[in-house]
Amino acid sequence: MEHPLIRDLRQAGYRLTPQREAVIAVLGETHAHLTAPEILRRAQEHIPHLNKSAVYRALDVLTHLSLVNPIDLGKGEIQYELNCLPHHHHLVCQQCGKITDVGESVFGELEKILRTQYGFAPFLYHFAIFGICRACQPKVRRTRVSLVLARCAQIEQPLARRATRKRARPR
């Protein structure tokens, strides 16, 4: 049976190359986030002569068509997964690295606000929100979080003074 994303690829006017088919197959088999090198390694089990540039080109086309979602989960590399329903998002703890999946319904109100107040149609398919998880908050509250808040306050004060000076100048 043909994967639905293969049908979507063809309907968009693109050919189903062996490289694109291999990338879709690898991502469809795993249901996980994979880096391009991981996709290449797994796809080479089916197509041994497959090269890195072919995988990146396939990922570019599939991403452009919104068939594949790229995401940066804070590990210094882009990871990919198929764009399938239901969409989900990630909460990434910057202290311990824990990743918690969050359903798309959490962002329903945000989507409504963006549409009604800003006239903006957001694509809330797949993204990461960075912060500190519940378990790590007590450990970092006195150090990292307070440093970040103090740094924000220091940045805001000079900006507020500059804005006040600009308003006070006669023209």
Side-chain angles (χ1 to χ4, degrees):
M1 186 169 143
E2 186 174 76
H3 195 285
L5 295 183
I6 292 173
R7 185 180 56 248
D8 293 343
L9 181 70
R10 286 186 174 136
Q11 285 178 347
Y14 288 83
R15 289 184 316 114
L16 177 63
T17 63
Q19 297 86 348
R20 292 174 187 158
E21 187 173 21
V23 169
I24 290 171
V26 166
L27 289 170
E29 291 168 359
T30 60
H31 301 289
H33 300 96
L34 297 174
T35 63
E38 290 169 329
I39 294 168
L40 173 63
R41 185 178 45 78
R42 292 179 186 203
Q44 283 177 330
E45 294 172 8
H46 306 286
I47 306 174
H49 62 277
L50 186 64
N51 64 38
K52 181 169 65 171
S53 63
V55 169
Y56 278 102
R57 283 192 307 270
L59 287 169
D60 284 345
V61 167
L62 297 171
T63 299
H64 173 73
L65 296 173
S66 297
L67 302 176
V68 169
N69 291 322
I71 190 164
D72 180 353
L73 293 173
K75 296 179 181 177
E77 57 194 359
I78 301 297
Q79 297 180 6
Y80 300 87
E81 79 171 353
L82 291 180
N83 185 2
C84 296
L85 295 174
H87 298 299
H88 68 281
H89 311 288
H90 309 280
L91 305 177
V92 181
C93 179
Q94 290 187 297
Q95 183 68 22
C96 69
K98 177 183 176 186
I99 298 173
T100 304
D101 286 351
V102 179
E104 66 182 330
S105 63
V106 171
F107 298 100
E109 190 63 27
L110 172 62
E111 181 177 8
K112 191 161 91 176
I113 289 169
L114 293 173
R115 285 181 184 280
T116 58
Q117 292 182 14
Y118 298 93
F120 187 77
F123 299 129
L124 301 178
Y125 300 141
H126 193 227
F127 58 91
I129 298 175
F130 295 88
I132 307 294
C133 72
R134 182 177 290 141
C136 291
Q137 285 177 24
K139 300 175 211 167
V140 298
R141 183 158 289 150
R142 282 170 257 126
T143 57
R144 188 171 182 188
V145 173
S146 59
L147 288 173
V148 169
L149 293 175
R151 190 174 332 120
C152 289
Q154 290 171 350
I155 291 169
E156 287 176 6
Q157 289 171 353
L159 291 176
R161 278 189 290 228
R162 271 191 245 142
T164 304
R165 277 186 275 168
K166 284 183 181 178
R167 274 187 252 129
R169 290 183 190 162
R171 292 190 180 208

